[in-house]
Amino acid sequence: MTKPMYEGKAKQVFATENPDELLVYFKDDATAFNGEKRGTIGNKGVLNNKISTFFFNLLSEKGIPHHFIKMLSEREMLVKKLDILPVEVVVRNIAAGSLAKRIGWEEGRKLPSTVIELYYKDDKLGDPLINNYHIKALGLATPEQVETLEAYALKINEILSAFLKDKKLELIDFKLEFGVHKGEVLLGDEISPDTCRFWDSETGQKLDKDRFRRDLGDVEEAYQEVLRRITGQ
Ligand code: 5GP
């Protein structure tokens, strides 16, 4: 197999014959706590490719521009090549994870209004929380780009939350990454149980990567359940 031009924790990225397009291969490898915890989740690559494909198609229908072109195989998708903006955008509806810790709220308490957080995408630094002043001082993105990221993030939150509610899934929080393609800001990366927290609306059962992070068991089953609920497959 040809060598990936980039290899991340959960995906490999390959060049294609078209310089504007890349092939993304979804692996079963899972890491947490900035790489301190490592393992594999059976079939994760296939499930995340299918789940992300579904969400990118849903977002297309609602006019959100993104990098996804098409699914090529069970583990591969074709995407537009992006110059990734080194700013991760986290949207939160309910306190959980690092926010619950930082502000001293119990997990599961509803936030009275949506919270957006920005993180500096840098593995060596452990993706620290930053604000608009850091972004400006470090030149990570222009103020117009940050405005665009935040506007897309809020719109995506509305679209996904409404869709998932019908499937009896609560969208607790999620992380997005964006990049620039031919001058336009596009949503990149993936939308999956690796990057979102999904809780069963009725039982509160966690159906996302927290099952791996916290050793809760039935990780593959949880990812499978998300795919089943959203696609009916
Ligand atoms: P937290 O800051 O509470 O750990 O994460 C908030 C949300 O963003 C969760 O849905 C989590 O899955 C996602 N998230 C934040 N940073 C990362 C990351 O580096 N990798 C992945 N896969 N998800 C992340």
Side-chain angles (χ1 to χ4, degrees):
M1 208 174 179
T2 45
K3 212 171 153 307
M5 58 178 268
Y6 169 80
E7 176 140 18
K9 287 168 265 184
K11 299 188 284 293
Q12 292 175 318
V13 178
F14 296 88
T16 67
E17 281 167 14
N18 184 337
D20 289 333
E21 297 178 357
L22 297 174
L23 184 152
V24 178
Y25 178 91
F26 285 73
K27 303 188 285 182
D28 288 345
D29 297 345
T31 63
F33 314 120
N34 201 31
E36 273 172 44
K37 182 180 168 81
R38 288 169 187 277
T40 56
I41 299 172
N43 229 19
K44 176 169 83 83
V46 173
L47 294 165
N48 280 356
N49 189 25
K50 289 184 179 172
I51 293 168
S52 292
T53 292
F54 181 89
F55 283 132
F56 280 125
N57 283 328
L58 177 70
L59 293 177
S60 296
E61 287 167 26
K62 308 283 183 182
I64 304 285
H66 55 65
H67 72 156
F68 174 81
I69 300 170
K70 64 179 174 181
M71 197 168 154
L72 294 174
S73 74
E74 280 210 313
R75 287 180 183 270
E76 295 168 319
M77 65 167 61
L78 188 67
V79 300
K80 294 180 187 169
K81 184 174 181 176
L82 299 180
D83 291 322
I84 294 288
L85 293 167
V87 177
E88 297 187 353
V89 184
V90 168
V91 181
R92 301 183 185 266
N93 299 305
I94 292 187
S98 70
L99 177 70
K101 259 198 202 133
R102 192 177 326 116
I103 63 173
W105 282 25
E106 77 275 19
E107 276 211 316
R109 184 162 156 197
K110 189 168 167 42
L111 293 159
S113 55
T114 306
V115 169
I116 293 189
E117 294 171 345
L118 305 169
Y119 291 85
Y120 183 16
K121 183 176 161 61
D122 187 311
D123 280 342
K124 285 199 289 303
L125 300 175
D127 297 345
L129 183 67
I130 53 172
N131 63 31
N132 283 292
Y133 291 90
H134 300 103
I135 292 176
K136 187 173 176 197
L138 274 66
L140 305 181
T142 67
E144 294 74 29
Q145 284 173 332
V146 177
E147 242 177 67
T148 305
L149 304 189
E150 294 188 347
Y152 283 152
L154 289 175
K155 187 90 202 295
I156 292 166
N157 186 41
E158 277 174 28
I159 296 165
L160 297 185
S161 294
F163 173 81
L164 290 163
K165 202 169 180 206
D166 279 350
K167 312 289 175 188
K168 300 263 185 297
L169 287 171
E170 187 91 37
L171 182 59
I172 306 301
D173 55 32
F174 57 98
K175 185 248 316 178
L176 301 173
E177 294 186 17
F178 294 87
V180 180
H181 178 85
K182 298 184 176 173
E184 195 193 357
V185 173
L186 305 183
L187 174 66
D189 198 38
E190 64 180 283
I191 305 174
S192 73
D194 268 13
T195 61
C196 305
R197 285 193 173 96
F198 302 118
W199 293 2
D200 182 285
S201 309
E202 276 158 18
T203 64
Q205 188 191 14
K206 292 176 173 48
L207 296 169
D208 54 60
K209 196 173 165 190
D210 274 348
R211 300 203 73 82
F212 169 77
R213 295 186 186 104
R214 303 177 189 190
D215 295 320
L216 300 175
D218 292 335
V219 190
E220 180 180 348
E221 289 74 8
Y223 282 55
Q224 187 74 58
E225 178 63 13
V226 171
L227 179 66
R228 192 189 68 73
R229 290 219 198 160
I230 64 176
T231 64
Q233 272 178 33

